[in-house]
Amino acid sequence: MPEIHLLSGGTLLPDWSGAGSVADGAVAWSGETILAVGPREELERRHPDAVRHQARGGWIAPGLINAHHHIYSALATGLDPGLTIDGFGQCLDRLWWRLDRAHDEASIRQSARLTSLRCALAGCTTLVDHHASPACIEGSLDWLAEELETAGLSALLCYEATDRNGHAGALAGLRESRRFRDSVRANGRFRGLLGLHAAFTLGDDTLAAAARLAEDGGIHVHVAEDRLDGEICRGRDGQGPLERLESAGLLGAASWIAHGTHLDEAGLDLLARRGALLVHNPESNANTQVGRLDLRAVRRAGVDVALGTDGMSSCLLSALRCAFLLHRQGEGDSAGGWQDCTGLLEGARQRLARLFGQPAYGQLVAGAPADLIVLDMPAAPPPTAGNLIAQLVFGQVPPRVRHTVARGRWLVDHFEACGLDPHRLAAEIRPVREVLWLRFHKLGAGTSYLGPEPGAAGGRPE
Ligand SMILES: [Zn+2]
């Protein structure tokens, strides 16, 4: 039997609800699985020979789950697109749809390594990624999985199919998602979904092909992130983006819907009835100025909601703070907002539990995967369901991650990355990034998928 590890000396949070914390708690694990959690004295008595680790007064909590990420954006930090960007359409066309086309295997692998390091340092042990690399689709999800596995992380992956590079490219994207999904059904660390970019870049034939492959609506797709999605979809046949997915039979309990910023009451009600998950990406919404997700309306409609970073960073706790502040500002509510943000860190847990066949995924309980972190929370009062959000957004911001342990493996030890070496990684990334940026600048913008540029004859309104 592998040796037993025991982490103690802090406050134990069995999940991210804030309820049920144990003041002087501990967690014991062996191999990739948690053996026991509870009061320190009890676990020390039960496991006297365990290898001991110290939380130094921090919060011992489940590893964070980033419910919507884009690894392919990792090397874009500092990239000057060389063109002005005005609005969401140009942001896609002049930045992200050039970057994804510029990727090759080397740049995808390095993006995954850098994202893994950032995730580990930010306490994230599972990420849900939405990948695009139109010049090299086949096998790209394997490259991501190999790098993430080497780094110690777990993930739910998909390739975002789109017609914007031609229908053959869309079908290749669907094939890649299906291939990967089917290849990891028995894998302990990875699962796959069918990926779709967004309804406005998907033709009816592609949606029909996706519907033949999806299982229980098992898609990961951007919906109504900006008004553009609705305008372009309705301009074609009168149907909005969510209606198009619904008409194609693509909405179900396994659907993973990113953004939803411009969904109306009927759209939110449909998501609730289908049991789909909505992923809130507040930092990204603010950055692209697409609008604000009305979290209160989402809650009122009974939609399950989780939190993602949408490639903006890998720090979920920064995204939580942004979600809270934007929510308060938007509601004009200077005292409330806690309830609407409570549960954002837990929103994806049950879906992943189902997908991985691990009933306690994302929780610190016996039998769950040993994914855990320690947050430094100097002089913090005991966490409760009522004060958890306040402590995470007003206290030590963002809380420093002392330890990250993923499937029993130490990724961050007393604030230092112990898997990937940041200095070696920087040296590896530099030449790959230079080549990626050169390819990026050689690629033109002005994709026909958005229609002619604003102001051109027959073009979109400005
Ligand atoms: Zn996204």
Side-chain angles (χ1 to χ4, degrees):
M1 184 173 172
E3 60 190 0
I4 295 172
H5 294 261
L6 197 151
L7 172 64
S8 62
T11 301
L12 180 88
L13 281 73
D15 56 41
W16 284 107
S17 70
S21 66
V22 180
D24 187 7
V27 54
W29 71 92
S30 175
E32 296 191 357
T33 307
I34 292 174
L35 295 176
V37 298
R40 175 183 55 81
E41 280 187 5
E42 181 189 323
L43 264 67
E44 284 178 349
R45 203 165 48 242
R46 283 166 60 184
H47 303 289
D49 300 325
V51 180
R52 302 289 298 273
H53 307 278
Q54 289 299 323
R56 300 267 175 91
W59 286 3
I60 304 168
L64 294 163
I65 297 167
N66 188 340
H68 183 69
H69 207 342
H70 293 289
I71 289 172
Y72 81 83
S73 70
L75 301 184
T77 311
L79 170 64
D80 177 359
L83 297 167
T84 56
I85 289 179
D86 183 13
F88 182 69
Q90 286 192 353
C91 183
L92 295 176
D93 181 51
R94 297 183 171 192
L95 177 57
W96 301 118
W97 294 353
R98 290 166 76 200
L99 183 74
D100 67 12
R101 284 182 287 148
H103 267 300
D104 65 3
E105 180 178 347
S107 60
I108 291 168
R109 286 187 180 276
Q110 294 297 351
S111 298
R113 288 182 198 174
L114 181 55
T115 301
S116 298
L117 177 64
R118 289 169 172 169
C119 283
L121 289 169
C124 168
T125 53
T126 301
L127 67 154
V128 181
D129 193 72
H130 201 250
H131 176 66
S133 54
C136 47
I137 296 173
E138 188 178 351
S140 58
L141 297 182
D142 284 347
W143 305 333
L144 294 181
E146 285 165 18
E147 299 301 335
L148 294 171
E149 183 164 31
T150 301
L153 299 177
S154 301
L156 174 61
L157 303 179
C158 73
Y159 186 91
E160 54 156 83
T162 177
D163 279 303
R164 64 179 184 262
N165 302 302
H167 188 54
L171 295 179
L174 291 176
R175 277 198 304 275
E176 176 63 5
S177 285
R178 179 182 63 172
R179 183 197 65 73
F180 182 79
R181 180 194 67 189
D182 292 349
S183 73
V184 295
R185 287 187 193 278
N187 190 301
R189 299 266 299 280
F190 297 97
R191 285 295 181 272
L193 284 178
L194 215 63
L196 297 170
H197 170 248
F200 76 97
T201 74
L202 292 159
D204 290 342
D205 290 350
T206 302
L207 289 182
R212 287 193 290 275
L213 301 175
E215 296 167 343
D216 196 19
I219 57 168
H220 184 178
V221 58
H222 298 116
V223 174
E225 177 176 1
D226 183 79
R227 293 187 191 283
L228 192 74
D229 195 3
E231 287 168 3
I232 293 180
C233 285
R234 289 192 190 90
R236 279 199 204 116
D237 61 6
Q239 285 193 313
L242 200 65
E243 295 165 285
R244 291 194 71 213
L245 297 173
E246 168 74 352
S247 297
L250 281 165
L251 287 184
S255 300
W256 215 275
I257 307 294
H259 296 284
T261 323
H262 294 279
L263 289 178
D264 59 13
E265 207 172 301
L268 293 174
D269 184 55
L270 179 60
L271 284 188
R273 278 188 281 122
R274 293 287 172 267
L277 178 71
L278 181 64
V279 185
H280 184 25
N281 300 279
E283 290 175 324
S284 170
N285 291 347
N287 183 54
T288 49
Q289 303 147 59
V290 293
R292 182 180 73 89
L293 179 69
D294 185 345
L295 265 181
R296 195 155 289 173
V298 170
R299 297 292 191 198
R300 209 166 39 234
V303 178
D304 289 343
V305 59
L307 190 64
T309 62
D310 200 24
M312 286 284 294
S313 82
S314 291
C315 184
L316 204 65
L317 294 176
S318 289
L320 178 72
R321 187 167 198 253
C322 183
F324 174 73
L325 294 175
L326 290 178
H327 180 63
R328 263 207 170 169
Q329 187 180 41
E331 294 291 332
D333 182 348
S334 58
W338 309 114
Q339 299 87 341
D340 297 312
C341 293
T342 300
L344 281 176
L345 296 178
E346 292 223 291
R349 182 163 66 73
Q350 290 183 346
R351 257 82 179 174
L352 290 170
R354 275 205 300 271
L355 283 163
F356 277 93
Q358 292 268 11
Y361 202 98
Q363 292 175 292
L364 298 187
V365 299
D371 293 341
L372 52 114
I373 62 175
V374 173
L375 296 183
D376 253 26
M377 301 292 287
T384 66
N387 73 20
L388 183 81
I389 300 295
Q391 296 217 49
L392 292 173
V393 304
F394 288 144
Q396 177 75 36
V397 174
R400 296 178 72 208
V401 177
R402 180 179 287 276
H403 298 309
T404 301
V405 175
R407 303 300 160 102
R409 180 179 151 199
W410 226 260
L411 304 188
V412 175
D413 186 8
H414 292 293
F415 312 111
E416 293 286 335
C418 43
L420 287 157
D421 176 351
H423 297 292
R424 192 191 300 174
L425 186 61
E428 285 174 11
I429 282 177
R430 200 174 303 120
V432 174
R433 181 171 51 212
E434 283 174 11
V435 174
L436 175 71
W437 287 14
L438 278 174
R439 282 198 303 266
F440 171 92
H441 285 295
K442 286 180 183 167
L443 289 168
T447 174
S448 62
Y449 219 87
L450 288 169
E453 286 285 289
R460 290 176 283 120
E462 292 191 65

